[in-house]
Amino acid sequence: MLTNRIRSEKGATILIALLFFLLCAVAGSVVLAAGTGASGRVSNLVTDEQSYYSATSAARMFKTEIMDKTFDCVYNSKTDEYTTTVTDGKSDTNFDKFLKDNALTVFKVNQEVATTLPSKDLTITPSSSVGEDNIKDVTSQFTMDKNYNISVSFNCGDFTCYVSGTATFINDKKQYKTTLSDGSTQIETNLTWTDVRISKQMQ
């Protein structure tokens, strides 16, 4: 009788069922953990995409604003006055004033009238056809060197977009002097920004 009990397979089904249940529980935990991780990645992806599109939107807007604008500055030694314009065949905008003020500062630095080159925050609000809630805050830093070349960084989240604008001098000279009939001196600079490029970088 003892031998029969040892050989009996009664209860083996329960053990197999418990083992199967354990395997299913482990597999379920793995699937749940993977799903939770994927959910987090999707959430981060949405945030990253918002950062990307906000920064690139601001950069493209800046590029559109600066492309082919012409800066003219004339200084007359007799009147000690500066006459400046920024034109592109359209009416002046707030951005034109910003660009004119900074280019004038560079002009004065080149005349040794000013000492500090422009480097400041630039506010550009990206536009969106799907609602303001999808636009994230963009911070930017604008600089202009002594050759009137422009560099701007647009930062949003972990994404940075750079815009560079190279100045081309219309008269092939950075500036030129003219002696007027009354003996006064006129110093003039004429340039345009044509080579404007956008580069992108994920931090």
Side-chain angles (χ1 to χ4, degrees):
M1 182 174 293
L2 180 60
T3 303
N4 291 337
R5 287 184 179 179
I6 293 176
R7 293 178 179 177
S8 175
E9 296 182 359
K10 291 181 180 181
T13 304
I14 295 177
L15 291 176
I16 293 173
L18 289 174
L19 181 60
F20 180 74
F21 176 78
L22 180 61
L23 291 174
C24 289
V26 171
S29 299
V30 172
V31 171
L32 182 61
T36 302
S39 176
R41 287 193 296 272
V42 169
S43 177
N44 291 336
L45 180 61
V46 171
T47 301
D48 291 342
E49 284 186 348
Q50 286 180 335
S51 298
Y52 172 85
Y53 286 116
S54 293
T56 55
S57 176
R60 287 169 183 164
M61 186 181 298
F62 176 84
K63 179 178 179 179
T64 300
E65 285 285 351
I66 194 177
M67 276 291 290
D68 298 324
K69 284 188 182 293
T70 301
F71 170 73
D72 303 294
C73 185
V74 179
Y75 170 75
N76 188 291
S77 63
K78 182 178 181 179
T79 61
D80 194 29
E81 291 180 346
Y82 295 87
T83 304
T84 61
T85 57
V86 172
T87 59
D88 58 356
K90 303 175 185 177
S91 59
D92 286 349
T93 63
N94 290 333
F95 181 80
D96 290 342
K97 182 180 184 305
F98 175 85
L99 195 60
K100 181 170 63 177
D101 290 347
N102 285 281
L104 175 59
T105 300
V106 174
F107 183 85
K108 290 181 176 180
V109 167
N110 289 326
Q111 312 310 316
E112 298 183 354
V113 177
T115 58
T116 305
L117 290 168
S119 178
K120 59 185 67 177
D121 293 334
L122 172 65
T123 302
I124 289 185
T125 303
S127 60
S128 173
S129 60
V130 293
E132 296 295 328
D133 290 342
N134 293 305
I135 301 175
K136 300 188 68 178
D137 291 335
V138 178
T139 60
S140 59
Q141 182 67 28
F142 173 96
T143 59
M144 184 183 289
D145 65 19
K146 292 186 69 173
N147 293 316
Y148 301 89
N149 298 318
I150 292 171
S151 177
V152 188
S153 64
F154 295 93
N155 306 296
C156 186
D158 292 331
F159 189 81
T160 302
C161 199
Y162 300 95
V163 178
S164 59
T166 302
T168 301
F169 296 96
I170 296 175
N171 296 291
D172 296 326
K173 291 182 179 180
K174 188 173 181 179
Q175 63 185 29
Y176 52 95
K177 296 181 180 180
T178 304
T179 301
L180 303 180
S181 58
D182 60 3
S184 62
T185 300
Q186 180 173 285
I187 303 174
E188 189 168 357
T189 290
N190 309 106
L191 60 92
T192 185
W193 292 277
T194 53
D195 186 14
V196 183
R197 302 183 180 183
I198 297 176
S199 58
K200 305 163 187 176
Q201 176 181 330
M202 182 73 76
Q203 294 179 350

